[in-house]
Amino acid sequence: MRIMRINMNEKTRHMLYRAAAALACVAIIAYTIFHMVSLFSAELSTVVVGPSTEETKLELDGYIFRDETLVTANYGGAVDYIAYDGLKLAAGEPIAVVYEQGNNSALNGSIDELDEKIAILEKSVAKGVSLSDLPDVNRSLDNSYYTVMKQLADGDIRGISSNIDSMTSQMGQVSVLTNEDSPVPTTLEYLRNERTRILAAGGNSVQVNSNRSGYFYSDIDGYEGRFTIAAAEALTPDLYYEYASSDAVPLSQMQNVIGKMVYDSRWLFAVMVSGDDANYFEEGESYTTVFTGDGDVTVPLTLNRITRDTDSSSVLLLFECDRMPTGFSFARAQSIEIVVDRVTGINVPKSAVHKSNGNLYVYILQGSVVRERRIEVIYEGSDYYTALDGVEADETDAYLQSNDTLILSGQNLFDGRILE
């Protein structure tokens, strides 16, 4: 009986070993099948890459310095401007008609407002536009509408008034072209008559002409004799703050002044920056600058001089320019966006990048074959890298190039994998 029990135990032990081995084989086969299936059935997300430009911008506030000569008249009443702001006049050309009466800002403001409305409607009834142009007018109107809506949605209202004016003119054109009883011509005639009526109450008048060739501007701020070219060239950090806090000459003391002439196209722009921001700049370099106060006016500014404040970490930057952009008012205080660095390369999401032997790599798809490509990072954003484009292959690695199909996501990726 004892021998019989030993044989039964050995038989049971052998059966358990065989069962355990069978279960292990099943587990190994299942594991292998699972990964084989995932290897060949995983979906990939891809994109064809190309070069893009990343810009580093600074937002700064500063002041314009230029030589300006005040224009005066014999009368101090209402002013009917013939020249518009920024117009280059030859010697003897008319600037404005100045009336004896109407010496108040409300009257001048009324004339300016009428002129703006008349200019908008005059574009609506401009000659040379016929019914055959209606599709083009409608397309322009649609573009203006979407531009305004996008600005409103983005909270960006810089220059939106000019876009609204363009849209209004285009709507007027549609009205004139499609409606024989369009109210646009009648409204325009009424505005012109109203303008004439207001000016007729001004009494005697005199026409003011330019003394010499130059640019005319109607806006005056009382700083014309202070923020000059000579003042800018002698500017120091301490003087900058003095100018910024100085009082202007009251306009009430500027008798019969109707505007100013600028005879030299050269002007300077001064701004204070932090020591860290100053590291972006170098004397003699030109920088793309957007003046954001009057819409977006882009001009290149050349850095004339860098002056460090000995009492603080602030730095005075003095830029110069010889451009007179159309539509730019040259208001004394200006806000700008200035491009201080520009990098061109291929943007790659960090989620698509892996590291090997201290270098960064991505996977691309060539036909149905996965290939590994190295990237040389020239800029790092919060969730992406900018990789240098056009790097030639070396002895060990090929590099990501424009027009490669970058794999954004996928499973079990390796160089040489064939997708089915």
Side-chain angles (χ1 to χ4, degrees), residues 165-362:
D165 289 344
S166 297
M167 189 171 69
T168 303
S169 294
Q170 291 155 359
M171 291 173 65
Q173 281 185 319
V174 173
S175 175
V176 171
L177 292 173
T178 60
N179 183 7
E180 293 183 356
D181 299 322
S182 171
V184 172
T186 304
T187 303
L188 179 58
E189 182 180 3
Y190 169 79
L191 294 175
R192 286 170 174 167
N193 292 336
E194 182 67 10
R195 187 181 191 279
T196 301
R197 184 191 66 79
I198 292 175
L199 291 175
N204 295 326
S205 65
V206 62
Q207 179 172 296
V208 179
N209 300 325
S210 61
N211 294 325
R212 50 188 279 213
S213 176
Y215 298 88
F216 173 75
Y217 294 87
S218 62
D219 182 59
I220 53 176
D221 60 9
Y223 290 107
E224 283 76 16
R226 186 166 176 79
F227 283 70
T228 63
I229 294 291
E233 290 177 337
L235 203 61
T236 64
D238 288 340
L239 284 175
Y240 175 90
Y241 292 116
E242 287 186 19
Y243 279 101
S245 59
S246 63
D247 294 327
V249 175
L251 299 184
S252 60
Q253 297 180 14
M254 304 174 71
Q255 295 296 321
N256 299 351
V257 176
I258 65 168
K260 56 195 175 189
M261 291 292 296
V262 177
Y263 301 116
D264 189 348
S265 62
R266 180 172 179 256
W267 52 280
L268 300 174
F269 182 73
V271 61
M272 295 293 293
V273 300
S274 67
D276 290 338
D277 288 344
N279 294 328
Y280 286 109
F281 297 94
E282 183 177 348
E283 289 183 358
E285 291 295 316
S286 181
Y287 299 88
T288 301
T289 309
V290 179
F291 286 80
T292 58
D294 296 309
D296 288 345
V297 178
T298 302
V299 294
L301 293 183
T302 301
L303 184 55
N304 181 296
R305 173 164 55 89
I306 299 175
T307 305
R308 298 188 178 275
D309 187 354
T310 56
D311 297 328
S312 69
S313 60
S314 299
V315 179
L316 170 67
L317 303 180
L318 185 64
F319 297 90
E320 66 175 280
C321 184
D322 60 359
R323 307 283 182 89
M324 306 288 280
T326 302
F328 188 40
S329 70
F330 282 94
R332 193 70 56 192
Q334 294 282 348
S335 296
I336 65 170
E337 288 181 351
I338 186 166
V339 178
V340 295
D341 191 26
R342 183 180 285 110
V343 175
T344 299
I346 302 172
N347 287 341
V348 179
K350 288 184 177 180
S351 57
V353 178
H354 62 279
K355 194 170 186 178
S356 177
N357 297 324
N359 298 316
L360 297 178
Y361 294 85
V362 295

Side-chain angles (χ1 to χ4, degrees), residues 78-98:
V79 182
D80 182 11
Y81 289 102
I82 300 172
Y84 57 83
D85 285 350
L87 178 64
K88 186 173 184 180
L89 299 171
E93 283 197 274
I95 294 176
V97 175
V98 184

